[in-house]
Amino acid sequence: MKVLVTGGAGFIGSHLIRHLLSDLDYAIVNIDVLTYAGMATNLSDLEAYPSYTFERTDIRDYRDLQKVFAQHKPDAVMHLAAESHVDRSIDGPGEFVSTNVVGTYNVLEVCRHYWNTLSETKQRAFRFHHISTDEVFGDLSSTSEAFTETTPYNPSSPYSASKASSDHFVRAWGRTYNLPVVISNCSNNYGPFQFPEKLIPLVITNCIKGAPLPIYGDGMQIRDWLYVEDHARALALILKFGRVGETYNVGGLNEVSNISVVRNICEIMDELRPSPHSFASTYSELITHVKDRPGHDFRYAIDASKIMAELNWRPLESFASGLRKTVNWYVDNDDWVKQALSNQHLDRQNT
């Protein structure tokens, strides 16, 4: 089975490709434009696989996408390419509309025309799997029921609005053109190779540097945390066994407040690498509360009962075990962190 993955050099995409290649023996075509958060080094260990191909392609470039589909003739598409950082979407929403909305439209249209050229048998077997976020549902109160696949959309940020729009486009292409689509909406991912702008890698890397650990507001916002390798397994199951036209919510079953996440990281860091900073005897002394983000959602929570019942999936990592693995990885991979933060990888990839 040949799967075309968009955004495969990013955080979730790189873990997904590694799982599809090494565990499931799929052939992979990875298309990625290699932005600041998409690093070729995330997949450098896979370059020896004869069934792995990388194409540096921007999903906003319709003609380049056509060439990739014509050349590689995939059996399925897993669409992950997206701008994903809420703070960046607040500062510059246009890039999110361009990539997440227009880019998704391009992938859908190229895929639709390609799919129409396939035999009836291959058309039935083909899948377009769109990977999205729980943020499209808006936020919850502390007592609200968790998001289900039928929760109405109520996005709060330019990022979540752009992802909600892309979800609607995918459903429309399924209904109007009969493209065999499936959608998944996941909770907050964490794990190795996540760019250090998101909460968990930011806190770990700031601990190492002795920099302040910024917490929006009182830090009581709640997120459901999903270890990235558990997510990759779920995505592979959805691609293979998910029902056409359906949506599957993927959650980690770990609702934790932001302040608790930061304190947990500090405790692990105190154990692994006691603070060398003269101004802080413990890492928790670096915690700094800052002005809250505009439109900040209070709580996300995923009801993952559908994927657990239909596809026999459940997360293998608890938050405690996954967080310890993640902290260990960032402590042991300081060179990767420095490369990511310096953006030196962009210079190398642009040559």
Side-chain angles (χ1 to χ4, degrees), residues 189-231:
N189 278 228
Y190 70 101
F193 296 109
Q194 188 172 31
F195 190 82
E197 65 184 355
K198 300 297 179 74
L199 178 63
I200 288 178
L202 174 65
V203 170
I204 299 169
T205 54
N206 279 14
C207 281
I208 294 170
K209 294 185 295 185
L213 310 180
I215 301 293
Y216 280 130
D218 60 8
M220 296 308 295
Q221 302 89 356
I222 297 169
R223 300 294 181 261
D224 174 31
W225 292 96
L226 173 65
Y227 191 63
V228 65
E229 291 180 5
D230 283 330
H231 189 199

Side-chain angles (χ1 to χ4, degrees), residues 255-281:
E255 286 190 57
V256 187
S257 69
N258 287 348
I259 189 65
S260 294
V261 170
V262 175
R263 287 173 177 159
N264 287 340
I265 293 171
C266 290
E267 290 174 4
I268 297 171
M269 287 294 297
D270 285 336
E271 176 189 336
L272 294 179
R273 183 185 285 186
S275 175
H277 312 299
S278 58
F279 48 83
S281 58

Side-chain angles (χ1 to χ4, degrees), residues 295-320:
H296 201 175
D297 290 334
F298 173 67
R299 173 176 168 244
Y300 303 142
I302 283 280
D303 179 346
S305 57
K306 180 176 178 177
I307 187 174
M308 290 192 290
E310 287 193 17
L311 306 183
N312 197 30
W313 173 90
R314 67 179 303 108
L316 299 179
E317 295 290 345
S318 67
F319 186 64

